[in-house]
Amino acid sequence: MASIFTKIITGEIPCYKIAENEHYFSFLDINPIAEGHTLVIPKKEVDYIFDLDNGSLEGLMVFAKKIARAIDTSLGTIRTGIIVEGLEVPHAHIHLIPIYFEGQAVSLGKKTEVDESRMKEIASLISKAVEL
Ligand code: AMP
């Protein structure tokens, strides 16, 4: 059965899309730990990120870098952090976490409330700043 993230790529499940190219896709995490918390995924459905072949893993990281740059320029972060866990959704993904101030908690456990209109606004801001 297709993963929830594959269904997002194909449009079966809606998302706050940021960007995509031939091999990779990014969208806002629906349960963000900070405004602009973004997921970056390969279109190829592989569960464990370190089972990706070397070229796919390199490409995923380079794509994530472009999205992180867009987060930094559009949201006024001091930098963007990166977390890989993958225990909930069996489709490899990188969490990009905007960091707005020193000492900000960057941990997947702590969710923050972001309403739908703000999620749309953030997705638009980041996506306009992406240079693929
Ligand atoms: P993990 O597998 O623990 O690295 O985390 C999976 C992440 O996917 C969690 O942060 C969820 O909030 C996120 N997530 C699950 N379903 C969706 C969805 N439909 N749209 C966006 N993010 C999702």
Side-chain angles (χ1 to χ4, degrees):
M1 198 178 81
S3 75
I4 193 166
F5 289 172
T6 293
K7 288 180 178 170
I8 284 175
I9 293 165
T10 59
E12 274 178 79
I13 292 178
C15 73
Y16 299 99
K17 181 176 167 182
I18 303 295
E20 70 176 311
N21 68 13
E22 188 185 352
H23 298 296
Y24 307 103
F25 192 98
S26 73
F27 53 102
L28 293 184
D29 194 297
I30 202 78
N31 294 305
I33 64 166
E35 280 197 353
H37 176 174
T38 296
L39 300 176
V40 178
I41 63 175
K43 289 186 174 177
K44 182 163 57 175
E45 190 177 318
V46 170
D47 176 358
Y48 183 36
I49 193 166
F50 294 127
D51 283 335
L52 286 169
D53 63 79
N54 291 351
S56 298
L57 183 58
E58 284 168 15
L60 181 67
M61 286 301 292
V62 172
F63 187 78
K65 175 179 172 178
K66 291 174 180 175
I67 305 303
R69 290 277 191 236
I71 290 171
D72 289 336
T73 55
S74 63
L75 300 186
T77 60
I78 56 171
R79 62 178 53 194
T80 287
I82 182 166
I83 298 175
V84 175
E85 187 184 82
L87 296 175
E88 183 186 323
V89 177
H91 185 141
H93 51 280
I94 292 173
H95 295 258
L96 295 177
I97 314 297
I99 301 174
Y100 296 100
F101 56 90
E102 283 189 34
Q104 176 185 321
V106 179
S107 149
L108 288 184
K110 296 186 168 228
K111 308 293 181 191
T112 190
E113 283 294 317
V114 184
D115 67 31
E116 192 181 337
S117 67
R118 182 65 180 150
M119 290 285 275
K120 282 184 186 157
E121 188 180 9
I122 291 167
S124 170
L125 286 170
I126 301 171
S127 67
K128 282 182 187 145
V130 173
E131 291 180 30
L132 293 179

